[in-house]
Amino acid sequence: MLRSVLPRRGISTVPVNRKEAWLFVDSVFPIQLAAWDLRHYIGFFRREYLLSRLQSQLEKVKTHNFQVSDLQPHPKDGGVYVRFAYSPQVDEQDAILKDIEKAVRDEANAHGGFPNWVGLTSGNAWLVKGTPWREDMNRYASPIVRVLFDGPDVNEQELYESFRPYGRIRDIVLPGVVPAGQPRFATITFHSLPAATIARNVLYGVALRSQPSNITRIRTLYQKPIQAHAIRDWTANHPKVVLPLLIFLLGSLSYAIFDPVRAIMVEGKVLNWFDYREYSLYRWLMANTLARLQTVSPENLNPTPAVWKERSDAQDSLKAYLADKPTTIAFLHGPQGSGKTRMVEAILAEESRSVLYIDCRELQKQGSDSQLIGALANQTGYWPVFTLFSSMGNLIDLASVGLIGQKAGISKSTKDQLTEILEVVAAGLARVSSSHRNDTKRALDRERTLKEREKQARITSDKIKRGVWHDGRLDCVAGNGVISELGIGDEDMDPTGEIITQQAAPDSSVDKREEKSKAELDAVKALPIVIIKNYSSKVGSTREDLLETLANWAASLVENQIAHVVVLSDNRENAKRLAKALPTKPLYAIGLSDADPASSLSFMKQKLQDAGIHLEFTKEQTAAVARLGGRASDLESLIHKIRNGQDVQDAVEEIVNQNVSELRKNAFGDDMDDAKSLPWSREQVWHIINLLSKKPEIAYYDIIADFPFKGDETALRNMEHAELISITTKDGRPSTIRPGKPVFRWVFDKLVQDPVFHAAQEINYNDKAIAKNESTVKACEEELRLLGEIMASEPKPWYGWIVSRRSAARERARYVAEKMLKAEKKVQALDRRNDALKKALANAF
């Protein structure tokens, strides 16, 4: 920080026939008050800009050939030392310097001052009368300046006249009695801190007249206030105590105030407190205004049971899970577009329970950690959230290392922040469950009270009919003593009352059992439901911490019976994270598959009939629909095209062509640079597509046993995550490989049938295979050369030329030679194949 800026500015050295002097420009940087004053970092980042502005402003001054030689920033005192050269004249040294000082000030005043760290213009230029001293010790600015005397004491008037031009002086304390050997000093208290910094830097080392014939050189230093700013000074001097205490107070404030507020906001999010559409006034207005104008009933989006018979088992399983207390996580898996979300939403609409949705896909789209935290908070209703403070945590920890030698612990990892948010969300969900239970309890109490009143009314009515009812209000009228017998009146006694009570007891016990059973059922319905959608890792994603944190959080919810948790995923492999978070209990797995051709055709007919289109599918149209398989998303796209007037075969062909374009981009990339970013190679995905275009499924272990995979299962798993293929399992191990979607069977065939694309990919595949076999040939050549040396050094008997003797080296050489011959034949065959493909590729244009 003390280096000169002369090399950076490119200013030449001063000629010999010129003199030099110094100026001090104040208020360029913030005056650092203590080590904890972070404002100097602002000045540090703006230093280059401020010095450039200052230099350009000073270069406009031409008085006495004024020329800036060097700029030396002194950020601790907020100023800059300016070393300049000028043309001297005999006996006019002081006048020339005053003219230069005035010219610089006039130039500054013409622009409103010099540039400063806050983006404004202020400050002034002062002629340095002493010697510049740019020290970087922990001596921070103070309004009290100590003036040390190297010689006789300087009187008060001389001190006042010397220091007053730089600012108003409050007090001057002359030297007192000091121990022998200690320098004598006076203290000058300025009204403002900038005045003290200017005086300290301008007058350090100046010679003042102490007596008519004596000169005293003074040294200026800052003196800390004794009583003023005691709390600030103690805080600055004890950072190891203050910072942990401050962190504890901030944490206590967060837990005591913000976390309860956040839990309430999560409860409001789940209970739709902030959704105006849930209020009775809005519903009444809608029912009496817009609803009366609607003449067309909305389309029934729920498929009929006959059409979606493949989903009935999954629906029954999910309903059974939601009807019982949560003991594990429900894992609903199925290929993308199979209707998982729609089925869950239909079931939840029937349940009429509080639901919290968390979409992992939206969270994984966030570009930074702070955006991820903000997106999760937005989805869960977690508010307030201070993402800015989280981002500043690293900066504060960096500053604390310089203060106390260790990190303050303010910054937290993304995983810790996600865990804290989800813990507060769990507390909010517990409040939702408690709120529902309280509402249910109040409803049961009201119902019980109403039944008791009805029962008492029936008993009273029966007594009145039999003439045995007695009004107790007559007792007050009748009075006390013997006269009170008149209150009984003429009513007959009810000798069977006790019997009636005894007969009513069994009915009350039955009612209690029914109420208890209903209370248990209502307690299950009071639990909220958490839906975690799109729970899967993207190809090349770095959000594994998010999925792991969500898995642990979901496990804690079901273990504590806070909520039902349903996880929706496109791949069953993602269940491993959930099983790891819940190792003692198996997952409640629910699988969805594509519909069969008959169900797909029935679904299309039903949807078209709902839209007012009655279409009888011909044999050719039925075959075209069968090409799409039972994937719900593809069927919906086909229905939309048919409703727009498109023919069935043309619509199916358009969907296939669209998938071909998307697959070519997603599987092979637009160019080589794009292909390098894919987690698989082009030859690997081409090998899979080529095989699946010929048969519906291929064996898993046959693929990974040979080129181009050769044991690389990661590429296959990434293809599965990208929905290019699907891997079926048998007895817990991978078994076969199928297309990722039913329509991909025809998409793969169309890609392979493209002659230009087929030739280009085959050439690339063969080049990789040739390179692999050539490396095998070279390795075999090296090994054969080594084996030849070994065989040459082996002892040979005298009959060796008649009878060949077997040895390990000879047997190994024979095997390696056969392997090399086999690889060489492959190279030649592939090379011939490439020549033919290149000719075909050339003739294609």
Side-chain angles (χ1 to χ4, degrees), residues 159-197:
L159 290 175
Y160 180 85
E161 293 176 354
S162 300
F163 284 84
R164 180 59 180 87
Y166 308 106
R168 181 175 176 273
I169 297 176
R170 286 186 175 179
D171 191 19
I172 298 177
V173 180
L174 295 176
V177 180
V178 298
Q182 295 291 332
R184 295 176 61 81
F185 62 91
T187 56
I188 302 176
T189 304
F190 284 87
H191 183 269
S192 63
L193 184 63
T197 59

Side-chain angles (χ1 to χ4, degrees), residues 67-180:
Q67 181 184 2
V68 178
S69 301
D70 194 4
L71 297 179
Q72 297 184 9
H74 192 30
K76 192 176 68 168
D77 285 352
V80 176
Y81 281 107
V82 180
R83 184 161 61 105
F84 64 92
Y86 63 98
S87 299
Q89 295 182 10
V90 181
D91 299 331
E92 295 182 3
Q93 182 73 16
D94 295 336
I96 291 174
L97 294 176
K98 289 182 179 181
D99 292 341
I100 292 175
E101 182 182 23
K102 182 178 182 303
V104 173
R105 290 183 176 182
D106 292 339
E107 177 64 27
N109 293 332
H111 296 84
F114 294 103
N116 64 1
W117 60 284
V118 294
L120 303 175
T121 55
S122 63
N124 210 339
W126 308 86
L127 184 64
V128 178
K129 299 180 180 180
T131 303
W133 184 29
R134 298 172 58 245
E135 47 84 19
D136 58 348
M137 295 181 287
N138 291 338
R139 297 178 180 178
Y140 300 103
S142 168
I144 303 176
V145 178
R146 177 182 294 182
V147 182
L148 301 178
F149 300 135
D150 291 341
D153 295 347
V154 180
N155 60 53
E156 186 176 14
Q157 182 178 358
E158 185 70 18
L159 290 175
Y160 180 85
E161 293 176 354
S162 300
F163 284 84
R164 180 59 180 87
Y166 308 106
R168 181 175 176 273
I169 297 176
R170 286 186 175 179
D171 191 19
I172 298 177
V173 180
L174 295 176
V177 180
V178 298

